């Protein structure tokens, strides 16, 4: 944890120096934006890269996956980011936005796996939630508790209102904002997974079903906590009645203070996440703007560092901060594509 904090400080300082000393159109520092979940991994790589090469330490900004992809796709030129991190895959609409703004050659890199956890303080009882219970606790509208195929404003105030086996405590869950890839993945995997337990919702038109399943409640029990997942961890350590939603790496780094709930009876462990037995598992990515390679120094070298076995491999240093590696064959194939800066076609999305 100390090493990670040191890395964060180093990168933040390097970014500040770059911001005041380098003209926007003539910079020599790699500019990386995007996911708060990928941020700790990219930070460790950036810190090592800056320390072990002649290139400046890349500047990183945690904007959320959606915010990062929006900035990345705004255009070509060193006033725009070179790389964006994402805790979910680029969407077809984002790819089209990139293309329309002249960001035509993009290399996609899947870096590993991660689980989205629902955690609470170690001073509280460990929870076991089903996807259905998660949906009922956090959705804006839910099936009428009195029966029938209709939706009502979420009436549940306590966990025990949903199921008597759950804690007799007010529902209080801190989670990421809509710009976050963690939020996107959570609603698509956990919320939609619970939502589809109801046939009348599952049989809705796709867009109607999505609007029901993805809408988080706004009446207090769900609290948007911004892009800084460390703030959620700090709150959980102080408040044993509150739960938090964030990536597995933040759980791993704070196991002395917090614990992850099991989902559908499965604990969030590296093995369960890698095998996708854990119900809320997802992949992590970054995207490279090929037009900036050779213009901003060090992009190819930074990417080579990130995709080396000593970094993202089974015994790589990113495992120490919570990355769950891809299978070796997938890593090797990805490293070859990255080495050639193979561009996306859009068909893979």
């Amino acid at each position: 944890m100390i090493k990670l904090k040191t890395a964060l400080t180093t990168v933040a300082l390097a970014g500040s120096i770059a911001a005041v000393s380098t003209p926007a159109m003539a910079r020599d520092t790699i500019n990386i934006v995007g996911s708060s979940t990928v941020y700790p991994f990219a930070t460790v790589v950036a810190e090592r890269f800056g320390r072990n090469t002649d290139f400046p330490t890349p500047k990183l900004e945690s904007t959320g996956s959606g915010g990062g992809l929006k900035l990345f796709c705004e255009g070509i030129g060193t006033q725009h980011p070179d790389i964006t991190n994402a805790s979910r895959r680029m969407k077809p609409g984002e790819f089209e936005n990139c293309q329309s703004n002249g960001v035509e050659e993009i290399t996609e890199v899947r870096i590993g796996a991660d689980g989205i956890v629902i955690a609470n303080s170690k001073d509280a009882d460990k929870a076991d939630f089903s996807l259905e219970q998660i949906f009922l606790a956090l959705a804006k509208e839910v099936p009428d508790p009195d029966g029938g195929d209709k939706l009502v404003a979420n009436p549940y105030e306590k966990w025990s209102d949903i199921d008597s086996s759950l804690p007799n405590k007010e529902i209080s869950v801190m989670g990421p904002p809509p710009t976050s890839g963690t939020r996107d993945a959570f609603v698509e995997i956990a919320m939609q997974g619970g939502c589809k337990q109801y046939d009348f919702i599952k049989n809705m038109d796709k867009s109607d079903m999505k609007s029901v399943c993805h809408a988080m409640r706004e009446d207090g029990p769900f609290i948007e906590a911004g892009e800084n997942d460390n703030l959620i961890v700090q709150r959980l350590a102080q408040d044993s009645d509150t739960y938090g939603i964030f990536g597995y790496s933040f759980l791993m780094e704070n196991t002395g203070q917090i614990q992850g709930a099991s989902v559908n009876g499965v604990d969030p462990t590296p093995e369960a996440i890698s095998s996708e037995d854990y119900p809320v598992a997802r992949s992590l990515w970054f995207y490279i703007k090929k037009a900036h390679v050779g213009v901003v120094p060090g992009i190819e070298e930074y990417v080579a560092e990130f995709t080396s076995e000593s970094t993202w491999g089974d015994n790589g240093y990113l495992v120490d901060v919570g990355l769950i590696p891809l299978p070796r064959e997938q890593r090797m194939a990805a490293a070859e594509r990255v080495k050639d800066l193979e561009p996306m076609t859009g068909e893979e999305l």
Side-chain angles (χ1 to χ4, degrees), residues 149-160:
D149 292 349
K150 67 175 182 177
L151 296 165
V152 297
N154 196 325
Y156 300 115
E157 297 180 359
K158 295 183 177 181
W159 290 103
S160 55

Side-chain angles (χ1 to χ4, degrees), residues 134-142 153-154 191 212-213 215-217:
I134 292 169
F135 167 69
L136 293 176
L138 300 179
K140 186 174 183 178
E141 292 186 318
V142 297
N154 196 325
M191 295 290 286
V212 172
C213 297
M216 304 291 280
R217 64 193 301 178

Side-chain angles (χ1 to χ4, degrees), residues 166-184:
L166 296 178
N168 184 28
K169 294 181 179 180
E170 300 285 334
I171 299 169
S172 176
V173 180
M174 298 181 71
T179 53
S180 167
T182 299
R183 169 77 166 263
D184 285 339

Side-chain angles (χ1 to χ4, degrees), residues 97-169:
N97 184 42
C98 268
Q99 300 300 301
S100 66
N101 288 332
V103 184
E104 297 177 351
E105 293 187 291
I106 305 163
T107 299
E108 178 184 69
V109 187
R110 183 181 174 211
I111 64 172
D114 184 40
I116 302 174
V117 301
I118 303 176
N120 66 341
S121 168
K122 273 205 163 178
D123 292 335
D125 292 335
K126 185 180 185 303
D128 179 11
F129 297 122
S130 69
L131 291 178
E132 181 181 1
Q133 290 166 346
I134 292 169
F135 167 69
L136 293 176
L138 300 179
K140 186 174 183 178
E141 292 186 318
V142 297
D144 190 341
D146 294 330
D149 292 349
K150 67 175 182 177
L151 296 165
V152 297
N154 196 325
Y156 300 115
E157 297 180 359
K158 295 183 177 181
W159 290 103
S160 55
D161 293 340
I162 297 169
D163 190 303
S164 59
S165 68
L166 296 178
N168 184 28
K169 294 181 179 180

